Amino acid sequence: MNNQSFCQCNTESLAMASVPMQEWCEPYDLGTALYHGTLFPCLNYMFFQAEDIPCPFCDKPTSTKSSEQEKALHELCKISFAITDLTLYLDTHPDCQNGINMMKDLLQKRLDALADYAAKYHPLTQLSIVTGTPESSEYEWEMGPLPWDPFGSEGGLL
Amino acid sequence: MWAYEKRLAYPVNIKKTCPKTAQLIISQYGGPDGELSASMRYLAQRYTMPVKKVGGLLTDIGTEEINHMEIICAMVYQLTKNLSPEQAKTAGFDAYYIDHTAGLWPQAAAGVPFTALELQSKGDVFADLYEDLAAEQKARTVYDNLLRVIEDPDVRAPLKFLRAREIVHFQRFGEALEMTKDRLNHNNYYYFNPEFDKTMIHK
């Protein structure tokens, strides 16, 4: 499954540390992955002082107030985080077919989600100006809140 | 090359002003084990890496650290954006407030300014990768310490996320170490410096 033919990693020697290569393990769903900060259950080492934190993205939401737009943004964060984590995995496991398949699927999902978000709300990337609203004559880059300000708190800006 | 995407990598939505918490968290912006020094460290080291895949990994982790820096800054910003003059005086934020008001400036929790002295780019693959492994552990410790003392769940959720990333990065740097060792003679990894003694590489 996980072809690591490029790496004969088991040679231990004095005065040199060794870290075992991760093997592919069945990933979390994308909401749980974002919550835990890793796609891979085998890399999730919890801290005893952080076990009580509720998951803001998991399938059973703790808050029902979140707007459709916020949900759409969370969806994009889930997909994009999975890509970020898988990118690092594939950097060190370039031949793992499970990882490659998942990455290609996620990249397509991200492309669609970015276009969808741009069409419904505002573009998050410059390319999604043209993929999301191809008919529009507007240049929409300044639309929407700045990322560090939560939804609807633009009131204080000049 | 980098392209900006107008969202945080992890959503931050803090409702409660708390300058004291901001003053602690700012260490992960400009402190010795913060995200700024992490990104600068990896993005500096990558140019001379002798193994192409390790240069690629440093680029990808260095890039991720920039989005972590933005998460930390957004947290500091949201914790202080509605700061009242009374809170500026009494809530443990007064020294910072005098110099920076509620602006963002990279410093450690104890007020020490960000400095490149906090990171190293040694031009030696083992020295650099061990530095990176240690850096991830030190940052993980800071997040442990923050999670022990901060109670607001809106702050704790992103801190838990960032802590987990340090452990994943440690694993990836460990794998980069294995990939590097795999290309060298295991009888003596220290016979030459593959980032400098290039004529020795194919001998």
Side-chain angles (χ1 to χ4, degrees):
Chain A
M1 289 243 277
N2 191 5
N3 303 321
Q4 291 169 15
S5 51
F6 63 93
C7 187
Q8 306 297 320
C9 302
N10 297 321
T11 319
E12 301 225 349
S13 46
L14 294 176
M16 180 56 67
S18 293
V19 173
M21 298 294 286
Q22 182 200 331
E23 289 184 17
W24 180 260
C25 62
E26 198 49 38
Y28 287 125
D29 70 83
L30 302 190
T32 307
L34 182 59
Y35 166 61
H36 284 305
T38 175
L39 260 181
F40 300 108
C42 56
L43 269 179
N44 182 18
Y45 291 99
M46 305 253 268
F47 181 45
F48 81 106
Q49 292 279 21
E51 285 182 315
D52 61 323
I53 297 167
C55 173
F57 324 102
C58 299
D59 292 335
K60 294 167 221 148
T62 48
S63 157
T64 50
K65 293 181 289 188
S66 51
S67 68
E68 289 302 310
Q69 185 178 354
E70 192 172 7
K71 276 186 202 149
L73 186 62
H74 285 182
E75 207 47 45
L76 236 160
C77 287
K78 291 181 201 174
I79 297 166
S80 303
F81 169 68
I83 290 171
T84 298
D85 200 22
L86 203 52
T87 298
L88 305 188
Y89 174 82
L90 286 172
D91 281 345
T92 56
H93 303 71
D95 303 321
C96 173
Q97 200 56 52
N98 284 323
I100 293 169
N101 294 346
M102 185 176 183
M103 179 60 106
K104 293 202 166 175
D105 180 54
L106 284 167
L107 288 170
Q108 187 61 54
K109 284 199 169 94
R110 181 170 136 80
L111 200 63
D112 297 342
L114 279 168
D116 202 45
Y117 196 91
K120 284 192 183 129
Y121 310 109
H122 53 86
L124 298 172
T125 67
Q126 281 193 308
L127 280 178
S128 57
I129 294 172
V130 287
T131 57
T133 52
E135 310 298 323
S136 170
S137 58
E138 305 283 314
Y139 175 65
E140 297 149 343
W141 188 230
E142 82 295 346
M143 285 172 65
L146 291 169
W148 47 91
D149 258 324
F151 290 96
S153 65
E154 289 181 87
L157 295 179
L158 293 172
Chain B
M1 211 289 291
W2 279 271
Y4 192 64
E5 184 161 329
K6 285 172 70 178
R7 65 177 180 89
L8 300 179
Y10 188 101
V12 175
N13 198 346
I14 300 170
K15 292 146 213 120
K16 203 170 154 238
T17 299
C18 184
K20 184 69 204 169
T21 299
Q23 198 252 319
L24 302 176
I25 286 178
I26 204 165
S27 229
Q28 282 308 85
Y29 177 23
D33 308 309
E35 305 290 355
L36 175 57
S37 84
S39 60
M40 293 304 109
R41 174 184 300 111
Y42 307 145
L43 295 177
Q45 290 177 357
R46 66 190 173 133
Y47 296 93
T48 52
M49 275 293 150
V51 179
K52 186 181 162 199
K53 287 189 176 77
V54 177
L57 179 71
L58 283 163
T59 304
D60 291 333
I61 298 184
T63 300
E64 191 185 334
E65 306 291 9
I66 295 174
N67 78 48
H68 293 174
M69 181 178 77
E70 188 185 33
I71 293 169
I72 292 291
C73 288
M75 292 170 81
V76 172
Y77 165 71
Q78 291 182 20
L79 285 161
T80 56
K81 73 171 182 170
N82 294 317
L83 190 69
S84 69
E86 189 53 33
Q87 285 171 320
K89 213 190 301 180
T90 59
F93 198 65
D94 50 343
Y96 184 92
Y97 161 80
I98 294 300
D99 286 334
H100 310 290
T101 326
L104 268 287
W105 189 70
Q107 66 160 49
V112 179
F114 170 75
T115 156
L117 297 173
E118 286 153 1
L119 56 99
Q120 180 56 289
S121 179
K122 201 71 187 170
D124 176 287
V125 59
F126 290 122
D128 281 347
L129 285 175
Y130 284 119
E131 152 124 352
D132 302 343
L133 288 159
E136 297 294 334
Q137 292 296 347
K138 290 185 280 183
R140 194 258 313 152
T141 308
V142 176
Y143 286 118
D144 285 359
N145 294 347
L146 289 169
L147 283 162
R148 241 188 237 105
V149 300
I150 292 167
E151 284 171 11
D152 183 350
D154 291 342
V155 180
R156 287 169 63 77
L159 291 177
K160 170 192 163 75
F161 168 82
L162 291 166
R163 173 190 181 273
R165 298 309 294 154
E166 310 299 342
I167 296 172
V168 173
H169 293 171
F170 182 90
Q171 174 64 26
R172 299 295 170 240
F173 283 129
E175 290 165 348
L177 181 65
E178 299 302 326
M179 290 158 76
T180 304
K181 285 155 67 178
D182 196 45
R183 280 159 177 75
L184 293 167
N185 184 342
H186 68 263
N187 290 322
N188 182 359
Y189 291 119
Y190 303 115
Y191 193 56
F192 63 96
N193 174 358
E195 287 188 45
F196 191 76
D197 304 305
K198 298 196 178 72
T199 55
M200 300 292 287
I201 288 178
H202 297 295
K203 279 191 181 167

